[in-house]
Amino acid sequence: PAPPKTAWPALVNQPGEAAVATIQAERPDLAQVLTVPEDSMVTMDFREDRVRVFVDAQGIVCREPTCG
């Protein structure tokens, strides 16, 4: 079997909420998938079960979502 997906480059420039739904559908095992404003402060801890979806002021994904 293929390893679980850990990055979603195709979601850049997509609406943030749709990106979250896509990631949750592809990886239902993830504990946390959430949108985060692109300029917000975030903790630097690395968690395999978390994906942060960074969005701009319009709610559009501005960075490739990855696990961690």
Side-chain angles (χ1 to χ4, degrees), residues 23-36:
I23 294 167
Q24 288 173 328
E26 292 181 7
R27 289 286 309 275
D29 58 304
L30 293 169
Q32 196 176 44
V33 182
L34 66 164
T35 58
V36 181

Side-chain angles (χ1 to χ4, degrees), residues 6-8 11 16 19-20 23 30 32-38 40-55 61-68:
T6 59
W8 290 264
L11 296 178
V20 167
I23 294 167
L30 293 169
Q32 196 176 44
V33 182
L34 66 164
T35 58
V36 181
E38 63 181 330
S40 64
M41 300 286 285
V42 294
T43 58
M44 297 305 295
D45 62 318
F46 185 85
R47 288 187 35 202
E48 287 285 342
D49 64 344
R50 176 181 60 208
V51 177
R52 290 187 180 119
V53 179
F54 288 92
V55 295
V61 178
C62 56
R63 287 191 229 166
E64 177 180 337
T66 58
C67 287

